[in-house]
Amino acid sequence: VRRGEGYECYCFSAATGGTAHDSSDIGAFTFGPFVMNRKGPHLLNPAATHSHTSYVGSILDLYVDTTYTVGLYHVLRSKEHADAKVTLFMDYNNNHNYDAPDERVWTAYTSSSDWYITSSVKIPDVVISDVPTGMRLILNNNTGPNAASDDGCGAYTSGETIDFVVRFNHAWTAGVGSISNIENLMMYPNPSDGKFKV
């Protein structure tokens, strides 16, 4: 039994095909400031050996109402390309589930001519902020409807799941705009001990 913080304990998701059937991986992934790059070629990549990767040991801070660029580089151990379905989930309401379809925030497909895919994801203002929560990325060679890709949970034959911990923050305005039409403004006592009246 695995024990950990709630944000570390989501449903099982991994490629279970083993070395005989699982030859497809996420070679690189970017999400705003986060960059993961295993390097190597698209095909015949010896690094394409992962079924599940966890980054839950660190927290990626994201900001509400901010749009982030997302990029994924698909790699395979084989000498021929195999299309894959890519899905990204974020637990906006912090209930330790990926509630599809609302928390399935990106779906895309790789192809033999488009194996580096990009998009953008905007963090909505209706999230639970200031607490760690889950983000899951799945690359699955089953491009049809399937529970692992569509709901964020379950085993599949070939691909990779990567789990992250994110924290949604509000970017509060640091300054004050124009304050015209003020005739009398007083602040006292001056100097103060940190408590004052306006």
Side-chain angles (χ1 to χ4, degrees):
V1 175
R2 182 176 177 273
R3 290 189 165 85
E5 298 294 332
Y7 57 81
E8 298 176 2
C9 300
Y10 283 80
C11 57
F12 175 80
S13 177
T16 57
T19 55
H21 302 288
D22 178 17
S23 69
S24 189
D25 263 10
I26 299 165
F29 175 65
T30 60
F31 190 102
F34 175 83
V35 176
M36 179 275 289
N37 188 353
R38 294 186 178 126
K39 304 189 172 147
H42 167 57
L43 301 176
L44 295 173
N45 189 323
T49 58
H50 303 85
S51 63
H52 178 267
T53 303
S54 176
Y55 287 97
V56 299
S58 59
I59 297 174
L60 176 61
D61 280 299
L62 303 174
Y63 290 88
V64 171
D65 286 331
T66 301
T67 300
Y68 292 93
T69 301
V70 181
L72 181 136
Y73 174 53
H74 182 191
V75 297
L76 297 103
R77 278 198 322 271
S78 61
K79 63 181 179 179
E80 294 182 8
H81 172 83
D83 292 350
K85 184 176 188 176
V86 176
T87 45
L88 180 68
F89 299 85
M90 289 186 172
D91 186 11
Y92 290 145
N93 62 11
N94 195 241
N95 68 349
H96 304 127
N97 291 303
Y98 295 112
D99 302 318
D102 296 333
E103 293 180 340
R104 186 175 57 236
V105 300
W106 181 43
T107 301
Y109 298 86
T110 67
S111 69
S112 59
S113 62
D114 197 11
W115 30 266
Y116 178 72
I117 53 177
T118 61
S119 188
S120 61
V121 172
K122 182 176 182 180
I123 307 301
D125 58 3
V126 289
V127 297
I128 304 296
S129 61
D130 304 317
V131 294
T133 193
M135 179 172 84
R136 174 170 283 175
L137 176 67
I138 299 173
L139 180 139
N140 184 352
N141 283 115
N142 180 354
T143 59
N146 66 84
S149 293
D150 300 334
D151 299 326
C153 298
Y156 50 98
T157 302
S158 182
E160 182 180 5
T161 296
I162 301 182
D163 282 320
F164 303 88
V165 175
V166 298
R167 180 174 40 218
F168 302 119
N169 301 288
H170 288 278
W172 303 111
T173 303
V176 177
S178 173
I179 50 172
S180 58
N181 299 326
I182 294 181
E183 293 180 14
N184 294 302
L185 176 66
M186 295 174 43
M187 186 165 40
Y188 59 94
N190 186 7
S192 87
D193 62 358
K195 297 179 183 177
F196 54 87
K197 295 181 181 181
V198 176

